[in-house]
Amino acid sequence: MQRIWSEESKLAHWLEVELAAVEAWAELGVVPASEARELRARATPPTPARVAEIEQTTHHDVAAFVDAVAENVGPAARFLHFGLTSSDLLDTALALQVGEAGALIQNGIAEVIATLVSRAQEHCGTVMIGRTHGVQAEPLTLGVKLAGFAFELDRASGRLDRALQGMRVGKVAGAVGVYGGGDPELERLVLSRLGLQHEPVATQVVARDRHAELLASLALTASSLERLATEIRHLARTEVHEVEEPFGRGQKGSSAMPHKRNPVVAERICGLARVVRAAAAVGLENVPLWHERDISHSSAERVIIPDAFLALDYMLGKAAWLFGGLVVHADRMRENLEASGGLVFSQRLLLALVSAGCERDEAYRLVQRNAMASWESGAVFRSLIEQDDEVTGRLAPGTLEEAFDLERALEHVPVVFERLSALIETKEVAARA
């Protein structure tokens, strides 16, 4: 990712667009074919240092680039940048860089999904408590939780793919998009060589709603990774201690407290998600440019687009590492589930009473009365229920045991894994295609 967004890579992509334009002009008979061949043979990407040196005089990066390339080409250099405006070069080359960077991000997402699927299948039956508002709710399994994250990242991949398709456009349409110095056929030939589509109606630039969509999809992916990482941070708290980040031999969790094993990588993912979301906000600000173009977007994009890709690429690598090596304390999960004294079965008891003919509000109050007593006294919820004749008197024999049956509470978990298997099969078919 660093290579793609390096100055050397940028200048190499600029040169590729310039040479594609010269060769297209030659195909149209405007530039002598011999000179196009000479340019292809002799032109090399200039060093960033040389471009920067010339820019000290020109105060224009593209002009400095063209001058730097021309230094080593000879007379054929007069056809460099022929009929182009700066944004023909910049936006078209940026589309090429985004395509390369996007492929790396998609590979990273696929790696995290594969890791999550593997760990989900491993822990399909690892029972734990689900929480809403941070408070114990009802049982589920760790596998279900991880499967949900896998599906979320699969949606992120699809979203990003659509945004990347939207970015596979360039333009060689001149200063205001009407081919004043060029030819629509030139644009078709150039973009065909580069594997891009044309912007249907360009101004001086490719419209920035495309870039905003791209940055928004990167930000959503980062936010999904933050959701995963936030879950790990909560479950790793001392009072919960259901999972831990991998902790290597020789690692130090704190400079002051030797006992510490902190979820530092998960916290790092959360912090970098803020950076990627900030880039998306700037991308939205870049959409409303003046008339056919101003330059307010340019300086910002030089920071936010590489930074968003670099940060997300790093986050994906760390997420794959985190979930691949995640330490799971299944016994602690069971302890925490049982710590409520059976309160987590309150809805099942409520439904049993309703099914037995009790009005819903009355059933709710009967269950809640015992639940609140359990909360306040620490008494076991089921024991309180067994002593409450108003509840037990309404239930048929065996109903109470069924309401507090953990296996019955989780009997539909296999449905989630059927869906996960379908997702895997779909992705495998797509990969083969």
Side-chain angles (χ1 to χ4, degrees):
M1 192 63 79
Q2 287 179 320
R3 179 193 61 77
I4 290 171
W5 296 111
S6 67
E7 282 296 299
E8 291 82 0
S9 174
K10 181 184 76 173
L11 297 177
H13 282 91
W14 285 8
L15 181 59
E16 190 56 38
V17 176
E18 290 282 2
L19 293 176
V22 172
E23 290 167 346
W25 278 127
E27 190 171 342
L28 293 173
V30 175
V31 170
S34 60
E35 302 216 35
R37 288 193 296 270
E38 182 180 357
L39 275 173
R40 173 62 72 176
R42 299 187 59 181
T44 58
T47 66
R50 182 54 182 152
V51 174
E53 182 181 5
I54 297 173
E55 192 177 350
Q56 291 295 314
T57 299
T58 64
H59 295 284
H60 194 291
D61 57 349
V62 173
F65 162 77
V66 172
D67 291 348
V69 174
E71 289 178 329
N72 302 309
V73 172
R78 69 185 186 277
F79 291 115
L80 284 170
H81 211 63
F82 186 79
L84 306 185
T85 191
S86 294
S87 291
D88 291 335
L89 174 63
L90 298 176
D91 283 3
T92 304
L94 178 59
L96 297 177
Q97 287 180 280
V98 165
E100 293 178 15
L104 288 185
I105 293 295
Q106 289 287 38
N107 288 341
I109 293 174
E111 182 182 5
V112 179
I113 291 174
T115 303
L116 287 167
V117 167
S118 176
R119 298 307 302 270
Q121 292 171 330
E122 177 187 352
H123 291 287
C124 63
T126 302
V127 179
M128 64 184 301
I129 187 62
R131 298 171 174 90
T132 60
H133 305 274
V135 177
Q136 290 198 358
E138 293 190 345
L140 76 164
T141 73
L142 178 60
V144 169
K145 188 185 291 285
L146 296 178
F149 291 143
F151 276 101
E152 183 168 348
L153 283 179
D154 182 63
R155 293 192 296 275
S157 178
R159 194 181 298 120
L160 178 59
D161 187 61
R162 292 188 293 274
L164 289 169
Q165 287 300 318
M167 282 293 297
R168 291 197 61 79
V169 299
K171 52 96 54 182
V172 188
V176 293
V178 294
Y179 307 96
D183 185 320
E185 182 62 9
L186 169 75
E187 181 179 63
R188 187 190 69 79
L189 291 171
V190 170
L191 297 181
S192 177
R193 281 175 164 78
L194 299 174
L196 300 175
Q197 301 296 315
H198 66 272
E199 177 69 81
V201 180
T203 58
Q204 190 174 102
V205 297
V206 168
R208 257 45 198 176
D209 63 295
R210 298 179 182 273
H211 304 68
E213 181 182 25
L214 170 70
L215 289 162
S217 70
L218 296 178
L220 277 167
T221 305
S223 293
S224 292
L225 291 177
E226 183 180 11
R227 190 171 85 88
L228 274 67
T230 298
E231 183 69 18
I232 298 307
R233 291 170 62 192
H234 282 309
L235 297 180
R237 286 179 298 153
T238 304
E239 295 80 3
V240 180
H241 199 222
E242 294 181 354
V243 303
E244 285 183 78
E245 282 191 4
F247 195 85
R249 184 179 298 276
Q251 183 174 344
K252 294 183 177 181
S254 166
S255 63
M257 295 170 284
H259 73 278
K260 296 283 277 180
R261 294 175 67 160
N262 302 324
V264 292
V265 172
E267 290 173 334
R268 199 178 305 161
I269 290 171
C270 292
L272 287 174
R274 301 167 190 171
V275 173
V276 184
R277 284 196 295 271
V282 178
L284 294 171
E285 295 288 341
N286 284 345
V287 174
L289 303 178
W290 287 16
H291 303 300
E292 278 58 59
R293 179 234 188 176
D294 63 64
I295 203 172
S296 61
H297 68 290
S298 178
S299 56
E301 283 182 356
R302 293 169 195 240
V303 176
I304 62 171
I305 293 179
D307 279 7
F309 274 105
L310 284 161
L312 185 55
D313 184 58
Y314 179 85
M315 292 168 67
L316 288 164
K318 289 302 179 184
W321 172 87
L322 175 59
F323 283 95
L326 188 68
V327 179
V328 176
H329 298 297
D331 291 344
R332 179 65 174 174
M333 290 179 173
R334 183 62 72 108
E335 288 176 17
N336 286 339
L337 187 153
E338 294 173 351
S340 72
L343 283 171
V344 297
F345 298 105
S346 68
Q347 180 182 205
R348 292 181 58 79
L349 182 58
L350 167 66
L351 296 178
L353 285 167
V354 172
S355 297
C358 189
E359 292 292 331
R360 179 181 175 83
D361 185 64
E362 182 184 4
Y364 191 101
R365 293 184 183 280
L366 288 172
V367 175
Q368 186 185 47
R369 180 178 69 195
N370 288 281
M372 294 303 101
S374 176
W375 268 106
E376 292 161 8
S377 69
V380 175
F381 177 57
R382 180 167 179 175
S383 297
L384 294 176
I385 291 295
E386 289 173 343
Q387 297 168 30
D388 190 333
D389 293 339
E390 283 193 84
V391 175
T392 58
R394 298 170 185 264
L395 299 176
T399 304
L400 197 59
E401 287 72 19
E402 184 177 324
F404 283 86
D405 188 333
L406 181 60
E407 289 188 9
R408 291 296 298 274
L410 298 172
E411 64 181 332
H412 298 303
V413 164
V415 172
V416 171
F417 286 88
E418 290 172 9
R419 296 169 183 167
L420 189 63
S421 295
L423 172 68
I424 297 167
E425 291 174 9
T426 300
K427 295 185 79 65
E428 288 175 347
V429 169
R432 287 195 296 270

